[in-house]
Amino acid sequence: MKGSVFLLKVLVVDDEAFVRRGIVMETDWAALDCMVVGEADNGRSGVAAAKKYEPDLIISDIRMPQMDGIEMLRCLREEGCRAAVIFLTAYSDFSYAQSAIKLLASDYLLKPFEDGELEAAVGRVKERMDLARKERETEREQKLSLSMLRAGEKSKYVAEAIAY
């Protein structure tokens, strides 16, 4: 994990204060190249926090008062939020997992999860993000090379400036 060129901004949403604080305080976020930017105690405040902090990753309980995690993610997806989401739940109800998959959740962990399980899930999310970022960079470089071939060498610096 170490050596990544970017810090992942993390939002933790769970109605159980003990669980939420445990995730925030007991996880070695620095070792995962992550930083917790906010917390929320239900889906409604999770939506507000996601708008405010624009996290790259949301770690959320599913069953919460006021608005559950599935509905929170549905609202965020409708508003264009592309954050990765790891759902945590004490319920192994298949319909929750199915809804999470439809909303493009990255992972689904059952509480209580084992030591290292959350870290492994975050690691998988980071690997997918790193791969996607590298693919976008390669695509950008290919487009730049193509535009340089079309424009000729004289406009090489202009093309590089535009791409930058």
Side-chain angles (χ1 to χ4, degrees):
M1 214 62 46
K2 268 307 199 194
S4 181
V5 294
F6 68 100
L7 268 179
L8 210 70
K9 296 186 301 183
V10 179
L11 171 65
V12 179
V13 184
D14 198 307
D15 61 316
E16 296 177 57
F18 182 75
V19 172
R20 190 175 64 249
R21 296 303 315 156
I23 292 168
V24 171
M25 302 303 288
E26 299 298 320
T27 305
D28 187 354
W29 294 108
L32 295 168
D33 290 328
C34 295
M35 174 179 64
V36 175
V37 294
E39 298 177 44
D41 61 1
N42 64 63
R44 187 161 283 129
S45 60
V47 169
K51 288 178 184 177
K52 179 178 179 179
Y53 299 113
E54 298 179 350
D56 302 300
L57 172 62
I58 300 170
I59 298 172
S60 177
D61 191 7
I62 288 186
R63 279 199 179 173
M64 297 179 286
Q66 295 185 32
M67 179 187 281
D68 68 21
I70 298 291
E71 188 58 32
M72 175 190 74
L73 182 56
R74 186 173 289 116
C75 288
L76 291 171
R77 292 293 190 239
E78 287 171 1
E79 293 178 9
C81 177
R82 296 178 59 184
V85 176
I86 298 173
F87 276 122
L88 312 173
T89 186
Y91 304 93
S92 57
D93 187 334
F94 179 69
S95 66
Y96 284 136
Q98 193 173 30
S99 296
I101 289 167
K102 286 179 182 175
L103 292 167
L104 304 177
S106 298
D107 219 324
Y108 188 94
L109 302 178
L110 289 176
K111 292 178 186 175
F113 42 89
E114 301 292 320
D115 282 348
E117 244 186 305
L118 179 59
E119 290 85 348
V122 171
R124 288 188 295 274
V125 167
K126 293 242 342 146
E127 286 172 9
R128 284 192 293 268
M129 287 180 166
D130 281 339
L131 181 61
R133 184 170 273 116
K134 287 175 185 169
E135 287 173 354
R136 284 192 305 272
E137 287 171 4
T138 301
E139 189 177 302
R140 198 174 308 125
E141 288 171 4
Q142 288 172 343
K143 285 180 181 177
L144 176 62
S145 295
L146 186 61
S147 68
M148 285 173 36
L149 283 174
R150 287 185 186 142
E153 278 302 308
K154 289 182 182 178
S155 58
K156 170 183 164 188
Y157 299 110
V158 173
E160 286 177 357
I162 290 169
Y164 179 74

